């Protein structure tokens, strides 16, 4: 998936002709070698090194990148930018891959940094942060990886690796019990989760034998009661409308997981730049 994500990013810039598609880079002599420095301009969790490297090696395998920090490291930046890596390779390839490489690095670092902020708020509680499928189109694998880099956990990757029965599925199947029973028939051992919106639905999901019960936008008192009923019988997950200000309050209920779409869709792209020597 990493290779596909990088190839798609490069194709957006270069078109079907690959390196030859960069009209501006073609102004540079083919034999020219470039040396460059990668700078980080704001405090962040560095994430996406493999994607960054692949963007250059896809065009010129002989490109060499020397990282000054390890993947997943939180790097504080005060006044001056911090050197993250140095790079050497064919100038045309370096110039052609630069934007795609930076786009991937800044987005994945942004995801990891945002996740780390949410995870830090939960310190001292037993709840864990989960991502969702609300990812940028074409970059789900990378963003799911970045969530892990930031200390979070992954929900299902896609529609094929787990069953998540939501309101519309329940309506189409007729009941929570019918939907879970059908999931057991077809799921081939995959875990089954049911989204619930009230305590009655929580009881139905428990009776049906769901593995995970999502508690969607329950009032705080109901959330406390739902977690009490679920404990020891299934895994609990709080979801919907959770903000940084309400996160700790949700965690005090003892819920196992808290899923947050903002990790991957409300991120701030981290400020990097690549400067040729």
């Amino acid at each position: 998936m990493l290779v596909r994500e990088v190839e798609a990013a490069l194709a957006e810039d270069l078109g079907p002709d690959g390196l030859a598609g960069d009209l501006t880079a073609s102004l540079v002599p083919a034999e020219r070698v470039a040396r460059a420095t990668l700078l980080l301009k704001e405090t962040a969790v560095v994430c996406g090194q493999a994607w960054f490297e692949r963007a250059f090696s896809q065009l010129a395998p002989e490109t060499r990148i020397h990282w000054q920090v390890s993947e997943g490291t939180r790097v504080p930046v005060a006044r001056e930018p911090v050197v993250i890596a140095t790079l050497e390779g064919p100038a045309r390839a370096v110039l052609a891959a630069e934007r795609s490489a930076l786009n991937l690095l800044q987005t994945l670092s942004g995801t990891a940094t945002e996740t780390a902020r949410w995870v830090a708020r939960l310190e001292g509680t037993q709840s864990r942060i989960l991502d969702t499928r609300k990812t940028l189109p074409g970059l789900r694998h990378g963003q799911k990886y970045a969530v892990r880099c930031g200390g979070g956990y992954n929900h299902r990757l896609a529609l094929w690796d787990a069953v998540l029965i939501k309101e519309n599925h329940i309506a189409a199947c007729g009941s929570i019990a019918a939907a879970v029973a059908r999931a057991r028939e077809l799921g081939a051992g995959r875990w089954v989760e049911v989204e619930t919106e009230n305590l009655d639905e929580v009881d139905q999901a428990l009776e049906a034998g769901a593995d995970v019960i999502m508690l969607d936008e329950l009032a705080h008192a109901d959330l406390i009661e739902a977690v009490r009923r679920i404990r020891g019988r299934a895994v609990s997950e709080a979801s919907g409308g959770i903000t940084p200000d309400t996160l700790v309050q949700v965690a005090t209920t003892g819920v196992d997981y808290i899923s947050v779409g903002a990790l991957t869709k409300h991120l701030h792209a981290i400020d990097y730049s690549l400067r040729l020597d």
Side-chain angles (χ1 to χ4, degrees):
M1 291 300 295
L2 182 157
V3 174
R4 291 182 184 177
E5 289 171 350
V6 173
E7 286 178 346
L10 288 171
E12 284 184 330
D13 264 346
L14 301 176
D17 296 329
L19 181 54
D22 187 343
L23 301 179
T24 313
S26 66
L27 304 176
V28 179
E31 69 277 6
R32 183 71 54 85
V33 174
R35 295 174 180 80
T37 302
L38 176 65
L39 299 172
L40 174 64
K41 297 183 175 181
E42 61 181 307
T43 298
V45 175
V46 175
C47 178
Q49 292 181 352
W51 282 257
F52 184 86
E53 291 178 358
R54 180 71 189 188
F56 293 101
S57 64
Q58 180 79 18
L59 300 182
E62 64 269 35
T63 303
R64 295 291 175 263
I65 299 174
H66 304 283
W67 294 97
Q68 307 300 310
V69 301
S70 300
E71 180 85 330
T73 301
R74 181 185 181 276
V75 179
V77 177
R79 293 181 178 274
E80 297 298 322
V82 175
V83 175
I84 298 299
T86 56
L87 180 153
E88 181 175 334
R92 287 185 178 179
V94 170
L95 292 167
E98 174 187 1
R99 185 68 268 157
S100 295
L102 288 174
N103 285 349
L104 291 162
L105 187 66
Q106 70 185 21
T107 300
L108 298 186
S109 293
T111 303
T113 302
E114 183 67 11
T115 301
R117 291 193 186 105
W118 286 79
V119 169
R121 293 186 182 100
L122 284 182
E123 187 174 355
T125 75
Q126 69 179 36
S127 300
R128 297 177 179 179
I129 285 287
L130 280 176
D131 57 21
T132 71
R133 288 188 298 119
K134 296 175 182 177
T135 52
L136 299 178
L139 201 56
R140 179 170 298 170
H141 175 82
Q143 286 198 285
K144 289 279 189 177
Y145 164 79
V147 166
R148 299 194 301 274
C149 264
Y153 292 79
N154 294 150
H155 206 284
R156 59 177 178 167
L157 176 64
L159 297 175
W160 48 260
D161 63 338
V163 177
L164 175 49
I165 300 168
K166 295 191 173 187
E167 178 183 10
N168 287 336
H169 301 103
I170 295 168
C173 291
S175 68
I176 289 175
V180 172
R182 187 62 172 156
R184 292 299 183 203
E185 293 175 8
L186 304 176
R190 293 176 175 84
W191 54 262
V192 176
E193 180 170 1
V194 176
E195 179 185 68
T196 62
E197 298 180 342
N198 53 58
L199 292 174
D200 180 58
E201 290 183 349
V202 169
D203 289 338
Q204 291 179 52
L206 286 170
E207 184 65 26
D211 300 304
V212 185
I213 299 178
M214 180 189 293
L215 307 166
D216 186 36
E217 298 194 31
L218 266 65
H220 190 67
D222 285 346
L223 185 59
I224 293 172
E225 176 60 19
V227 171
R228 187 192 69 78
R229 295 183 189 186
I230 294 169
R231 187 174 291 116
R233 301 176 65 186
V235 174
S236 58
E237 175 192 338
S239 182
I242 297 166
T243 70
D245 293 333
T246 62
L247 179 65
V248 173
Q249 183 184 33
V250 171
T252 60
T253 66
V255 69
D256 296 311
Y257 291 97
I258 302 173
S259 54
V260 179
L263 304 183
T264 52
K265 71 186 182 81
H266 292 167
L267 63 93
H268 162 76
I270 301 302
D271 193 1
Y272 288 95
S273 67
L274 190 69
R275 293 286 182 263
L276 266 63
D277 299 341

